[in-house]
Every structure is written in structure tokens, then in C-alpha cells.
Amino acid sequence: MRNILLIILATILCSCKKDNFEIKILNTSISTNDSVRFELYNNTNEHYLFYFENPKLDYNSKSKNPIIAEVSAENIAAKVEVSSDPLYILNENGSFNPQDIKEMEKYSTLAKKRIHRVISPQSSVIFTLPFIDSTNIKGGKTYPILDDKKRYHLKIKMDIDTNLIDKKELENIKYNYKNNIKFFHGKLASKTLKLK
């Protein structure tokens, strides 16, 4: 009897945890020139904060706090080309060109960009992100390399670590919400969508 109760309790806890949050891709199909639209649901009765170090699709799951765009063909991950770091050239006297300085400042601003989204109980937020990062930083882009002869699938994943929130920022958030807020910490994944 005790074992049966434990099994029932474990089943209830697992199902609650699974259904508390959900990612749903809103595109019916997508090509590499499109943006990915997905909705993040909070099915709980609590306000939850979701924190992102960088609000872009990331194809490198080793990054911290990413929104991951997992592209696969026949259950094999697609190759990823990453060239988002700009190349700066020093003058003979060791100085930078004015244009490079502007690019460095722009890149620094982008690199520090962080966002958080608070989702109210039984509500959701919608994200719209380019499938290919076409940020014009010395032509740098991040994208998967796709073969026209293969069929691909896309899955959106989140790996959120609330320990990365700056202490001062954390205190401001708690103050603004009068501590009536919870912080999502963990992993989520959507269902797969066919790429065209």
C-alpha cells in the first residue's frame, strides 16, 4: 500500500512540474530567412521571473543562460558556424581606427545586454527572434549550416540559471515586486517543428 501511495505521489509531482511551464513555437513552418516566434507559458498561480543573459537564439548549448535553437536532421545535430566576434585591426602606432572604436562600443553594449521577463499567473509572453543572427558587427553571424538534401527540425530550449543575476539587480527586482515573485531555475524544451 505504501509503495502504491509513493508511486501515485511521484506521478502527481512529475505531472505538475511538467505542466507548470511550457514553450510553444508559434510558426507553422519556418525557413532560415524567417524569425522564430515562440510563447512561454506560466501555468502556475505565482508570478515567475525568467532571466536571460543574452536574448538571442544560441546554437551553442555550452553558453550560460541561453535560449537554444536546436537544429537537427534525423536526430543528429546540425553543424553550427559561429563568427560573431568582430575583428579589429591596430594601426602601426598601436591605435584603433575610429570606425573600429565605434564597433567595439556597439559590441560591448550588445554583449552586456540582459533581460528578464516576469510572467503573471496563467499568462504567457511571446518572443520573436531572427533564426539567423544578422547583427552587423563586421559581418559576423551565427547560424546552423544546412544541407538542402536533408530535412531538418527545430526545437527551442531554455537553460535558465538565476544564480547569474547580479545581486544589485536581484534586490531591485525583489523590491519592485515586494518579494511577491518566484525565480524560474531549470530547463525547458518545446516540441519540434519542421524547417522548410
Side-chain angles (χ1 to χ4, degrees):
M1 184 68 174
R2 182 181 172 188
N3 289 341
I4 294 172
L5 287 173
L6 286 173
I7 292 169
I8 293 171
L9 181 61
T11 304
I12 291 170
L13 288 173
C14 289
S15 62
C16 288
K17 187 175 181 182
K18 182 181 179 183
D19 297 332
N20 281 346
F21 306 99
E22 179 186 3
I23 302 173
K24 182 179 179 182
I25 301 176
L26 300 178
N27 305 63
T28 52
S29 63
I30 188 169
S31 69
T32 52
N33 294 321
D34 296 332
S35 289
V36 181
R37 295 183 74 245
F38 58 94
E39 196 164 7
L40 176 56
Y41 291 87
N42 172 11
N43 296 321
T44 73
N45 293 319
E46 305 281 353
H47 288 85
Y48 266 89
L49 180 138
F50 290 78
Y51 176 78
F52 305 98
E53 284 281 296
N54 199 340
K56 296 195 300 184
L57 292 180
D58 198 330
Y59 299 93
N60 180 3
S61 59
K62 293 180 182 177
S63 300
K64 290 184 178 179
N65 241 50
I67 300 174
I68 302 165
E70 183 179 273
V71 179
S72 60
E74 301 169 0
N75 297 321
I76 300 172
K79 291 182 181 178
V80 175
E81 180 171 313
V82 180
S83 59
S84 58
D85 288 334
L87 175 65
Y88 304 119
I89 301 173
L90 285 170
N91 295 325
E92 288 181 5
N93 63 2
S95 66
F96 287 106
N97 290 324
Q99 183 61 35
D100 278 344
I101 291 172
K102 287 182 182 178
E103 293 291 340
M104 288 173 71
E105 289 171 352
K106 184 166 66 172
Y107 182 73
S108 177
T109 302
L110 286 169
K112 292 178 181 176
K113 189 173 183 182
R114 300 184 302 271
I115 63 166
H116 64 266
R117 291 284 183 269
V118 175
I119 309 181
S120 302
Q122 304 299 317
S123 299
S124 64
V125 294
I126 294 175
F127 294 79
T128 302
L129 299 172
F131 183 73
I132 294 177
D133 173 18
S134 58
T135 305
N136 186 20
I137 305 170
K138 294 291 184 183
K141 294 184 180 181
T142 303
Y143 51 88
I145 300 172
L146 306 180
D147 182 346
D148 291 339
K149 297 175 183 177
K150 293 182 180 179
R151 292 183 179 180
Y152 290 91
H153 292 85
L154 171 70
K155 181 183 283 188
I156 299 297
K157 292 182 173 182
M158 292 182 181
D159 186 357
I160 300 173
D161 185 354
T162 54
N163 295 318
L164 297 173
I165 304 176
D166 179 76
K167 287 183 180 179
K168 189 174 181 180
E169 188 177 5
L170 183 62
E171 290 304 316
N172 288 336
I173 292 167
K174 287 181 177 179
Y175 177 79
N176 290 334
Y177 286 90
K178 298 179 175 60
N179 286 321
N180 187 26
I181 192 170
K182 292 191 174 183
F183 295 82
F184 181 85
H185 185 101
K187 298 181 180 181
L188 292 172
S190 71
K191 293 180 180 178
T192 58
L193 174 74
K194 287 183 180 179
L195 292 178
K196 62 177 180 178

